[in-house]
């Protein structure tokens, strides 16, 4: 998945700041539409942002965990500083998606399922899931 370069993002931000009222409404509608299609991805990004600020251990509830590298899915890992705990965790620890494979794709998959699409159509949609 590609992300915006820093320079392009800065340009987009300045363009949005100078947009007219009608343009802002259009932008707002577009962002809401894209966010609803990529709800799991947005939720993971929000959860990551909050976790990096609070750094609260889900096991012992202590604050101040330190950064502990990234996992194979490029999610930030943390390690508790309390000597009795010292456990590692990521943003999904303690959630139903904690050990799920490809949690960023579940939102799109569920939106197709609630739209009564067959598994074949979901696979053909190209969201990156296999029929099995």
């Amino acid at each position: 998945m590609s992300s915006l370069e820093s320079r392009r993002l800065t340009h987009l931000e300045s363009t949005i700041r100078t947009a007219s009222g009608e343009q802002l409404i259009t932008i707002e509608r577009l962002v809401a539409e894209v966010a609803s299609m990529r709800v799991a991805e947005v939720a993971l990004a929000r959860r990551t942002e909050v976790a990096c600020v609070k750094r609260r251990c889900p096991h012992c509830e202590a604050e101040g965990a330190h950064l502990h590298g990234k996992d194979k899915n490029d999610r930030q890992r943390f390690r508790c500083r309390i000597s009795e705990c010292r456990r590692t965790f990521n943003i999904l620890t303690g959630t139903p998606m904690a050990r799920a494979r490809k949690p960023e794709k579940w939102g799109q998959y569920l939106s197709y399922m609630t739209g009564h699409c067959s598994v074949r159509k979901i696979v053909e949609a190209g969201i990156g899931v296999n029929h099995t």
Side-chain angles (χ1 to χ4, degrees):
M1 184 177 352
S2 65
S3 61
L4 288 174
E5 299 170 18
S6 179
R7 194 178 85 227
R8 289 178 62 200
L9 182 60
T10 304
H11 177 68
L12 179 61
E13 288 174 354
S14 65
T15 303
I16 290 172
R17 290 184 193 283
T18 60
S20 69
E22 291 175 5
Q23 291 170 331
L24 287 173
I25 291 171
T26 303
I27 292 168
E28 184 179 44
R29 197 174 300 132
L30 176 64
V31 168
E33 179 184 325
V34 171
S36 70
M37 290 187 306
R38 297 167 64 179
V39 67
E41 212 175 318
V42 172
L44 284 173
R46 284 188 181 138
R47 193 163 174 91
T48 300
E49 188 176 30
V50 169
C52 286
V53 171
K54 289 188 177 181
R55 297 187 185 182
R56 180 180 293 268
C57 176
H59 307 290
C60 69
E61 298 296 321
E63 286 190 14
H66 63 273
L67 301 180
H68 193 65
K70 301 226 175 179
D71 65 10
K72 65 181 179 181
N73 296 317
D74 206 33
R75 277 189 226 97
Q76 182 64 58
R77 293 203 53 80
F78 303 91
R79 182 175 203 121
C80 184
R81 289 181 186 247
I82 304 298
S83 60
E84 294 82 33
C85 184
R86 302 287 292 166
R87 293 174 74 178
T88 64
F89 58 95
N90 67 20
I91 58 168
L92 296 176
T93 302
T95 69
M97 299 301 287
R99 297 188 186 269
R101 293 187 180 104
K102 302 180 182 179
E104 63 281 349
K105 296 182 184 202
W106 277 91
Q108 290 177 313
Y109 180 76
L110 291 174
S111 68
Y112 281 109
M113 290 295 289
T114 56
H116 304 290
C117 290
S118 67
V119 173
R120 174 179 277 148
K121 287 186 180 178
I122 295 171
V123 171
E124 289 172 0
I127 62 173
V129 293
N130 192 305
H131 72 284
T132 58

